[in-house]
Amino acid sequence: RLVMAVIRTINDLERIGDEAKRVAKMVREELDGTLDEDIRQEIEHMGGQVREMLRQVLDAFARTDVRAAVAVARADKKVDVKYHALSRQLITHMAQDYHNIPMVLDVLWAARALERMGDRCQNIAEYVIYLVMGKDVRHSSLEAVLDELAEREARQVREQAERERAASAGPE
């Protein structure tokens, strides 16, 4: 499981790098001030969310922390909502002034790249869950993962208590 998780994570990290390059290119080209401030703030906020997801998922991978991985998967839903809202805003912007269509399309592609980066972070979170629990969670709920994790932890606590009780009783 470790080898599979590492190989898949490396692939997703490479794709994240490709998407980051695309966003950086757009930012460099759009620094001339043609971008509305509200749209700029939305893109920056979305970028901050994705950056934090990446930091959290890499930390979760390093610590094999399922709870942190689940939190990252949940955060991706917020990035998706932000992307769809920003897309609607950008489409409205294009409809209002057709001269801005090329610039707005660039911003839309950058927003899409950020959304894909969030999806890749979610993928890595799923690999963490697979690594720790041996469970493919692409088609199951995150709550079910947390429930199973809680059951495992409770079972481990009971088993540890039984071992300590047996050790304290000593040989008879």
Side-chain angles (χ1 to χ4, degrees):
R1 290 191 297 212
L2 176 62
V3 172
M4 290 302 298
V6 168
I7 289 171
R8 289 179 176 172
T9 297
I10 289 169
N11 183 52
D12 279 325
L13 288 173
E14 186 176 350
R15 298 289 82 75
I16 287 171
D18 294 342
E19 299 290 357
K21 182 178 176 183
R22 184 173 299 139
V23 172
K25 182 180 180 207
M26 185 282 303
V27 168
R28 188 174 55 236
E29 292 172 356
E30 295 303 325
L31 285 178
D32 62 2
T34 58
L35 197 59
D36 288 351
E37 188 60 31
D38 58 335
I39 294 173
R40 184 183 313 268
Q41 287 177 355
E42 290 295 319
I43 286 282
E44 285 179 13
H45 185 257
M46 191 174 173
Q49 286 177 307
V50 171
R51 184 180 57 242
E52 183 60 20
M53 283 176 65
L54 181 59
R55 187 196 63 72
Q56 288 176 351
V57 80
L58 291 175
D59 186 54
F61 193 94
R63 293 184 298 115
T64 60
D65 184 347
V66 172
R67 291 187 196 292
V70 168
V72 169
R74 285 182 174 153
D76 183 52
K77 306 269 187 280
K78 294 177 186 175
V79 171
D80 291 346
V81 168
K82 170 95 46 202
Y83 168 70
H84 292 295
L86 185 58
S87 294
R88 285 190 299 275
Q89 186 179 5
L90 289 169
I91 290 168
T92 301
H93 196 71
M94 281 191 290
Q96 291 172 350
D97 185 2
Y98 70 91
H99 295 307
N100 287 333
I101 289 176
M103 181 272 304
V104 172
L105 285 176
D106 286 342
V107 174
L108 191 58
W109 282 113
R112 175 70 179 145
L114 288 170
E115 191 272 335
R116 289 296 302 137
M117 291 167 72
D119 291 345
R120 298 289 183 174
C121 289
Q122 179 179 356
N123 291 349
I124 296 169
E126 291 169 357
Y127 306 150
V128 170
I129 295 167
Y130 172 74
L131 173 64
V132 174
M133 301 181 73
K135 185 173 184 129
D136 182 358
V137 295
R138 290 177 288 182
H139 306 293
S140 64
S141 75
L142 296 174
E143 284 69 30
V145 170
L146 290 175
D147 290 345
E148 184 177 332
L149 182 63
E151 288 172 22
R152 281 184 178 196
E153 290 171 346
R155 185 173 51 249
Q156 289 172 345
V157 167
R158 284 192 306 272
E159 289 169 356
Q160 179 64 29
E162 289 173 17
R163 283 192 298 274
E164 289 174 3
R165 200 171 26 254
S168 67
E172 293 180 17

